[in-house]
Amino acid sequence: MGKRTSALVMGVVLVPFALSSCSSSSISTDAAEAKAASEDPDHGVWTGEDLKTLLLPVGALPKGYKPDRDYTADSGTHFGATVKKPISNNCTLLETNTWVDAAGIGIASYAQADFQKPSKEEYSEDIDSFRGTDAWTAMTRLRKYVASCATFKDSSGPAVATFKVATKAVPDLGDESFETVLSAAVYEGGQTIVVSRVGHDIVFSENSVYSSDRGSLALGLARRLVANVRVKTGN
């Protein structure tokens, strides 16, 4: 599956727990689900076409954003391969709109959409669906990845940039969530990425801007995306 890997959009600065009881019916249901999953690893996984219906429309964004069709895609009715690789040590993946590949865990399906302003400020959303407990593993790995990239250099742009990466947990959002903010002295603005797990799915909400808020729009839209996933998938 092709995933978007466009670079971070920032302009060069020209001026300065509880116990619960279980009924026999729920136990039998769980056993049936486990049996089905063991027989079909893709049991219960939504296709990319299904995930696409959970994405936010352009009307959910502030005025000025327009869909970028070149970077709007999904995995259709096909499922990706089961993969497990080491956690990436390439910190520049943080500059991309989605960096789930850094976890080294193969996704089953995905849907993504991108929106840009004429100024090239950008909002990108992505939902990745995983098999079994892979989403839990992926979130743990993504936290380790971002922790290893507290600062990093990138010389692929017009100037060598030293990025500072600030990460914090986001409470009351999905089953587990964190927010990462990227900034560099040689660039205006910054990029905010909110990563949330909702059951077997991981949601990315990213905003790259030239302003001092460094993409705070990402958090509000992440809440709407997570709500869509939670309601429609039952996770």
Side-chain angles (χ1 to χ4, degrees):
M1 290 177 288
K3 297 286 287 181
R4 184 177 184 190
T5 54
S6 84
L8 172 65
V9 178
M10 293 196 289
V12 175
V13 175
L14 302 177
V15 194
F17 241 195
L19 297 174
S20 61
S21 61
C22 294
S23 68
S24 59
S25 61
S26 65
I27 292 173
S28 62
T29 299
D30 289 345
E33 285 292 315
K35 182 176 183 294
S38 67
E39 293 174 349
D40 176 11
D42 298 323
H43 173 76
V45 177
W46 280 42
T47 67
E49 287 189 349
D50 293 328
L51 293 175
K52 180 170 61 176
T53 67
L54 308 182
L55 294 173
L56 300 176
V58 65
L61 276 67
K63 186 176 179 180
Y65 282 93
K66 301 294 183 184
D68 186 338
R69 304 298 182 189
D70 289 340
Y71 298 119
T72 296
D74 63 82
S75 54
T77 59
H78 303 286
F79 293 107
T82 299
V83 175
K84 188 171 183 179
K85 300 185 294 186
I87 300 172
S88 176
N89 58 9
N90 177 10
C91 292
T92 63
L93 285 175
L94 285 171
E95 299 174 65
T96 65
N97 292 346
T98 59
W99 32 274
V100 71
D101 287 346
I105 302 295
I107 61 174
S109 57
Y110 77 92
Q112 62 185 52
D114 188 80
F115 308 88
Q116 289 194 18
K117 285 184 173 181
S119 64
K120 301 304 181 182
E121 290 189 334
E122 180 179 25
Y123 176 73
S124 184
E125 56 183 339
D126 181 274
I127 306 173
D128 298 304
S129 194
F130 292 80
R131 303 173 177 88
T133 60
D134 282 356
W136 285 255
T137 303
M139 282 294 284
T140 298
R141 283 170 160 242
L142 288 172
R143 283 198 183 89
K144 290 179 179 179
Y145 167 73
V146 74
S148 72
C149 295
T151 61
F152 68 94
K153 289 187 177 181
D154 184 2
S155 57
S156 64
V160 177
T162 298
F163 284 93
K164 293 183 178 181
V165 182
T167 300
K168 65 180 181 180
V170 180
D172 305 318
L173 179 62
D175 297 317
E176 50 180 326
S177 301
F178 64 89
E179 175 188 86
T180 295
V181 180
L182 277 69
S183 60
V186 298
Y187 291 121
E188 291 180 285
Q191 178 190 36
T192 295
I193 314 100
V194 180
V195 185
S196 306
R197 183 181 64 80
V198 187
H200 299 272
D201 304 308
I202 295 181
V203 173
F204 285 79
S205 176
E206 180 273 331
N207 190 209
S208 295
V209 298
Y210 298 116
S211 56
S212 60
D213 75 2
R214 296 177 180 174
S216 60
L217 173 69
L219 181 56
L221 294 179
R223 295 191 184 282
R224 297 183 65 171
L225 267 174
V226 165
N228 281 357
V229 176
R230 191 178 291 285
V231 169
K232 295 182 181 181
T233 66
N235 288 330

